[in-house]
Amino acid sequence: MEGHTLRLTLLLCVTAAISASSQTCDPKEVHGNPWFHMREMLIGCWTSFVTENKTEVHILHFSAMDSSMFTLNMEDAKPMHLILTSANILYGLYNINNDVHIYLSNNSTITMHGNTLPGNVHKYDIPTQDEELVKWASKKFGGVTSFTTVRNLMSISSTGRTGTKPGSRDCVLKSEDASEKHFLKIEAAPLASSLTSCSPPQQQPKNQVDGAELHIINIPENTSISNVLLRVDEKKIRVFLRGPQGTTWMVLNAQYTQFGSNNDILLPNIRIPPSHTLNSDNARDVQRKALQVFNVSTFTSYTELRPANSTILLVLVKNDAPAGETVEVAESTLEPINPIATTAPHQMPLLMQLYTSLDYQTPLDGNTRVQSDKRIYAEISGHTFGNMVLTIKVMSCLVYSKGSFPVVKELPFIPEFCSSKSCPNSTRLSFSLDQLEELTSTTWDLECSVKLCHSETCGEGGKVKVEVTKPCLQPPTPPCFDFGLPGVLGIAFGGFLIGVLLIGALWFIKIKTGYPTGLDMSTTAASLPGCPCSGAKRQPVSNNPSPSENSSANASIGSTQSTPTSSMA
């Protein structure tokens, strides 16, 4: 029994190994990669400028050339001034119409041969440096419509379309994809960069249950570090990107793409740090790692490239496009990005809006004072480019007081549920300012740190801030009573009654304790021993008393002085 179990186990292992090996492939060099086109990113610009007489101004700069011959066909071109510069010795065959004027430097290394029209070929002291050349053209013609750098050019012709691009009128030189300029048709020698690819056997066009393809791109370790721009025009797609440490992948229009990489990925709004570690550049190891990361059983394509230039562009070809055919990409899907940037791009603009209730229907005005005893609801939202799906995750919130001695406090918050349909590219939370109630400051900055997540990978999203004002703390005031007219009349009448009763009581007391009328006060006083004074009225005394009275008075005085006690008796 044990032997049978062992054989069964070995059989399963062998089956699994065979199945796993069948889902990998070895890359081979092919004529025209069926999945990706590779282009160089060279310096240039494209503006909306035209002169007053509706003439365009174009600069064509020839970089390294494998061949010294090229052809220039501008027979169907709009009226233009065409400036040609190069540091190499070149011979050009041209065909132009009467409205096209060619400008060359006095010491130009370019020799032109063709249907020479009198006055249509001009020579000036033209600078050779890119920036100086733009300044010279802007000074002479008022501006520059386009600046295009070409490498290994074989032929260039006009498509007959207008050569302007809506937007800025200022020519700012940066890395660009010259094939986007629809008014030019540029044919150049193939890139020296090596590009190989393969697909696993019995590969179906859309092999996953959800219909999403998986494409794997690998840059081997012995390749110079590069900036690789990737344009993905398919929806519901997975891409695994692997390169030497220091490689940067810049995605121009991600839409609903899911990414995995051992390098930094720059989206138009966010830098996604490496999500996986993979030191091996072996094709089968990379393929197995990609299957493991996305938890799928097979992939659509594997592409291995060795860029010869520091900045290249990879364009994923749509499934319905024939192999080798150039795919025209709508201009509206392209987002501005600096492909030679070595730091993260600007963070996605974020906005925080405060609300008074959980239904998020009544926004708070910036001047409204927030009650510290009530719950406040906030929504943080951001704008993404294209249809890329990003979710916002709030990591922490702080409040900063304003003043000479700022106070910083961590603010607890509660995430509020909101479906992705109701809250696209936004998140909701609630908080209370009750912990700020006893603090004197009334104006605070509420700042929340967020992360932006794409699929299951998150990167720093920056911070969002809003000013919060709470009411001033007032000392408690005694209660006031509001009396109406009946109350006032009642108080007045009550005061009147109290006055009458008090007067009556005083009158009653006087009657009971006062003296009766007609009473002989002298008799009464004489009969009341110990009364110090009397209310009797004294009789007037004569000024000339009789001798007898004087003697009697003297005797009385003398007796009083000698024996005061008996006198009192």
Side-chain angles (χ1 to χ4, degrees):
M1 183 67 182
E2 292 180 359
H4 178 71
T5 304
L6 180 59
R7 286 194 299 271
L8 180 60
T9 304
L10 290 174
L11 181 61
L12 291 176
C13 291
V14 171
T15 304
I18 294 174
S19 175
S21 64
S22 67
Q23 299 308 316
T24 59
C25 62
D26 296 318
K28 297 180 181 179
E29 190 169 351
V30 293
H31 257 315
N33 187 292
W35 303 107
F36 289 96
H37 290 314
M38 184 166 60
R39 305 179 189 137
E40 285 185 296
M41 300 294 291
L42 300 172
I43 296 298
C45 75
W46 193 10
T47 73
S48 61
F49 173 80
V50 291
T51 63
E52 293 182 356
N53 58 354
K54 305 301 181 182
T55 302
E56 301 168 3
V57 179
H58 298 284
I59 300 174
L60 195 60
H61 175 65
F62 297 88
S63 184
M65 298 284 287
D66 286 342
S67 172
S68 59
M69 293 289 297
F70 70 94
T71 60
L72 175 69
N73 186 356
M74 294 292 169
E75 194 173 14
D76 297 329
K78 301 292 183 182
M80 70 168 65
H81 300 298
L82 181 60
I83 305 169
L84 305 179
T85 67
S86 177
N88 304 311
I89 298 177
L90 300 177
Y91 300 92
L93 301 175
Y94 69 89
N95 185 18
I96 60 176
N97 61 41
N98 291 329
D99 295 324
V100 176
H101 290 259
I102 297 177
Y103 295 81
L104 300 172
S105 174
N106 285 328
N107 56 353
S108 177
T109 58
I110 303 175
T111 302
M112 303 296 293
H113 300 277
N115 61 337
T116 304
L117 297 174
N120 282 50
V121 179
H122 315 270
K123 287 198 173 185
Y124 288 90
D125 289 329
I126 300 176
T128 57
Q129 295 295 325
D130 295 344
E131 295 286 353
E132 296 300 322
L133 182 56
V134 171
K135 291 180 181 178
W136 179 87
S138 299
K139 183 177 180 180
K140 181 169 182 60
F141 303 110
V144 173
T145 309
S146 77
F147 185 109
T148 305
T149 302
V150 292
R151 193 192 302 269
N152 300 327
L153 180 69
M154 295 190 299
S155 69
I156 184 168
S157 58
S158 170
T159 61
R161 300 174 65 178
T162 302
T164 58
K165 177 184 179 181
S168 173
R169 290 171 56 88
D170 298 326
C171 176
V172 179
L173 297 180
K174 61 182 180 180
S175 292
E176 66 171 10
D177 178 14
S179 64
E180 295 176 12
K181 295 178 177 177
H182 50 69
F183 64 96
L184 292 176
K185 184 178 180 181
I186 301 174
E187 293 184 12
L191 294 179
S193 302
S194 172
L195 189 148
T196 58
S197 64
C198 67
S199 295
Q202 300 177 351
Q203 175 62 47
Q204 298 298 324
K206 293 193 175 181
N207 48 74
Q208 310 304 336
V209 175
D210 58 0
E213 299 177 351
L214 170 58
H215 295 273
I216 306 170
I217 304 174
N218 179 26
I219 301 178
E221 287 293 322
N222 57 358
T223 307
S224 60
I225 297 174
S226 302
N227 292 326
V228 183
L229 278 78
L230 178 65
R231 181 181 298 155
V232 181
D233 299 312
E234 285 284 328
K235 293 184 177 181
K236 289 186 178 181
I237 198 170
R238 299 183 177 99
V239 180
F240 185 81
L241 307 171
R242 190 263 164 214
Q245 187 176 1
T247 301
T248 300
W249 304 84
M250 289 164 280
V251 183
L252 298 182
N253 51 339
Q255 297 187 354
Y256 293 98
T257 306
Q258 292 180 322
F259 294 101
S261 180
N262 69 319
N263 307 120
D264 283 345
I265 298 177
L266 297 185
L267 302 179
N269 310 297
I270 181 178
R271 176 189 289 270
I272 301 178
S275 55
H276 306 283
T277 302
L278 182 59
N279 296 323
S280 173
D281 61 356
N282 179 269
R284 292 183 180 271
D285 291 341
V286 176
Q287 294 166 17
R288 292 190 186 100
K289 183 66 175 180
L291 296 175
Q292 175 190 346
V293 167
F294 292 106
N295 193 26
V296 294
S297 60
T298 187
F299 57 91
T300 306
S301 75
Y302 171 84
T303 300
E304 196 170 283
L305 58 97
R306 291 174 172 82
N309 190 23
S310 60
T311 303
I312 62 171
L313 171 67
L314 283 177
V315 179
L316 178 65
V317 181
K318 295 182 180 180
N319 285 347
D320 53 357
E325 180 180 324
T326 301
V327 178
E328 183 173 341
V329 181
E331 296 171 27
S332 60
T333 64
L334 304 180
E335 301 300 338
I337 187 172
N338 185 4
I340 58 175
T342 56
T343 58
H346 296 296
Q347 300 289 355
M348 180 175 73
L350 296 172
L351 173 67
M352 182 188 297
Q353 176 64 56
L354 303 182
Y355 295 85
T356 58
S357 59
L358 185 58
D359 58 6
Y360 290 86
Q361 296 298 319
T362 309
L364 279 173
D365 184 78
N367 299 322
T368 304
R369 296 183 180 272
V370 178
Q371 299 295 330
S372 57
D373 58 343
K374 294 184 178 180
R375 196 147 197 88
I376 305 302
Y377 299 87
E379 182 176 60
I380 300 175
S381 58
H383 170 70
T384 60
F385 295 94
N387 297 319
M388 183 170 49
V389 178
L390 288 179
T391 56
I392 301 174
K393 184 177 181 181
V394 182
M395 306 306 297
S396 64
C397 290
L398 300 173
V399 282
Y400 300 82
S401 65
K402 293 187 175 181
S404 303
F405 303 97
V407 178
V408 181
K409 280 186 167 292
E410 186 173 358
L411 185 67
F413 64 90
I414 299 176
E416 300 291 344
F417 173 77
C418 185
S419 64
S420 58
K421 184 177 181 180
S422 302
C423 303
N425 296 316
S426 64
T427 188
R428 291 176 176 179
L429 62 148
S430 64
F431 56 87
S432 175
L433 300 178
D434 52 357
Q435 60 173 319
L436 310 180
E437 189 171 357
E438 298 178 359
L439 301 178
T440 56
S441 179
T442 59
T443 304
W444 297 75
D445 280 335
L446 170 61
E447 184 179 81
C448 293
S449 300
V450 303
K451 283 191 174 183
L452 300 179
C453 301
H454 181 73
S455 185
E456 297 180 358
T457 305
C458 296
E460 292 299 326
K463 297 178 180 180
V464 58
K465 184 167 64 174
V466 67
E467 187 177 90
V468 178
T469 305
K470 67 184 185 70
C472 301
L473 292 176
Q474 300 291 345
T477 55
C480 299
F481 299 97
D482 185 16
F483 297 104
L485 181 61
V488 173
L489 293 178
I491 292 173
F493 183 69
F496 172 75
L497 290 180
I498 292 173
V500 170
L501 292 175
L502 289 175
I503 293 174
L506 292 174
W507 181 259
F508 178 77
I509 294 172
K510 177 174 176 59
I511 292 176
K512 292 297 183 181
T513 59
Y515 299 109
T517 305
L519 181 66
D520 188 358
M521 297 306 294
S522 61
T523 307
T524 306
S527 61
L528 294 174
C531 184
C533 57
S534 172
K537 192 175 181 179
R538 294 183 178 272
Q539 295 296 327
V541 180
S542 174
N543 293 331
N544 298 314
S546 63
S548 61
E549 290 177 348
N550 288 339
S551 61
S552 175
N554 291 336
S556 175
I557 293 172
S559 175
T560 303
Q561 291 176 346
S562 60
T563 57
T565 306
S566 60
S567 174
M568 288 296 294

